[in-house]
Amino acid sequence: DVKVTQSSRYLVKRTGEKVFLECVQDMDHENMFWYRQDPGLGLRLIYFSYDVKMKEKGDIPEGYSVSREKKERFSLILESASTNQTSMYLCASSSDRQGDGYTFGSGTRLTVV
Amino acid sequence: TQLLEQSPQFLSIQEGENLTVYCNSSSVFSSLQWYRQEPGEGPVLLVTVVTGGEVKKLKRLTFQFGDARKDSSLHITAAQPGDTGLYLCAGPFSGTYKYIFGTGTRLKVLA
């Protein structure tokens, strides 16, 4: 069964901490994405990557960075966590065939206190 | 700017009722997809529609892509509590592999 695995389902971090969210896919997909999902705001794209070591900003990149050193792994980094980064974070991957859509991970619910 | 608007935002119905959810845009999309997201989980792809006017069926779910490829609908026949969730439509951002997601319809089916 193909899947996208996010390293943590729930995380609680303190304000100012550096936070790493890890995502691994086993489908050999070229494209990987990080979204955050908040009530009333829907899914918002933070960063995405079309290839190893390549990254592009999405709609809300401020306060985040990413790393893609290997094709199967895409990491989201919160440089200095703040309370307004409390959210559900979703990782997704896709192939280069547009009609195939995204495969999402189960999400990481991050709370910053 | 490509946008996808879904209606209704919220829907609460009794088991056995029928319902339709809409996804509308002023832009043409090469394809549209529907996802369902259950609480605490990531969205799961249900279907992709590609051709204008296309109709696809997935058990009690019927998906239609508008003739002009600017809108889509999801019809559920005889809804069941297991259909409860957030339904999202999505389409590829022009010329990229990045998808735009609709605002979502939160469905609750009461037993």
Side-chain angles (χ1 to χ4, degrees):
Chain A
D1 202 16
V2 295
K3 63 171 63 170
V4 174
T5 303
Q6 293 184 230
S7 53
S8 305
R9 292 299 298 269
Y10 300 95
L11 272 180
V12 180
K13 296 292 181 180
R14 294 196 180 278
T15 302
E17 276 193 77
K18 191 168 186 175
V19 181
F20 294 85
L21 302 183
E22 306 286 346
C23 176
V24 177
Q25 51 99 0
D26 65 0
M27 295 163 284
D28 200 35
H29 280 170
E30 293 79 9
N31 313 308
M32 295 188 76
F33 307 83
W34 275 106
Y35 286 84
R36 63 178 283 179
Q37 186 175 33
D38 301 287
L41 296 176
L43 281 159
R44 294 182 291 169
L45 181 63
I46 305 171
Y47 266 98
F48 58 103
S49 170
Y50 289 151
D51 201 352
V52 176
K53 296 192 186 294
M54 175 273 177
K55 61 186 178 185
E56 285 196 32
K57 292 180 180 179
D59 301 318
I60 52 163
E62 297 78 19
Y64 302 94
S65 62
V66 289
S67 172
R68 194 167 181 200
E69 296 295 318
K70 293 185 178 182
K71 189 176 184 179
E72 67 271 19
R73 188 180 295 271
F74 193 35
S75 303
L76 179 69
I77 303 151
L78 284 66
E79 298 292 343
S80 177
S82 64
T83 54
N84 63 12
Q85 292 179 309
T86 291
S87 185
M88 170 71 118
Y89 288 87
L90 289 163
C91 175
S93 71
S94 72
S95 71
D96 280 345
R97 293 181 306 208
Q98 284 198 352
D100 286 357
Y102 286 3
T103 302
F104 281 91
S106 296
T108 295
R109 186 163 292 283
L110 173 68
T111 302
V112 183
V113 297
Chain B
T1 305
Q2 290 180 290
L3 288 172
L4 286 168
E5 301 217 357
Q6 291 184 240
S7 61
Q9 270 192 293
F10 302 96
L11 196 51
S12 181
I13 61 171
Q14 294 292 325
E15 183 176 4
E17 291 184 20
N18 301 333
L19 67 117
T20 302
V21 173
Y22 300 93
C23 173
N24 294 296
S25 176
S26 57
S27 305
V28 175
F29 283 87
S30 58
S31 65
L32 278 179
Q33 301 178 334
W34 286 92
Y35 295 79
R36 179 170 63 214
Q37 183 178 19
E38 298 182 11
E41 298 293 331
V44 175
L45 179 65
L46 296 174
V47 78
T48 300
V49 285
V50 178
T51 307
E54 181 177 5
V55 176
K56 280 193 174 178
K57 292 195 175 186
L58 187 65
K59 297 183 181 178
R60 294 174 295 98
L61 278 60
T62 302
F63 304 86
Q64 185 160 8
F65 201 12
D67 291 341
R69 292 185 289 129
K70 291 184 178 182
D71 56 86
S72 182
S73 63
L74 158 60
H75 181 80
I76 302 179
T77 303
Q80 299 178 359
D83 296 325
T84 292
L86 178 66
Y87 288 81
L88 296 161
C89 64
F93 196 66
S94 182
T96 76
Y97 300 111
K98 188 174 62 170
Y99 278 74
I100 300 165
F101 282 83
T103 47
T105 293
R106 194 167 295 280
L107 171 66
K108 188 168 186 177
V109 182
L110 304 168

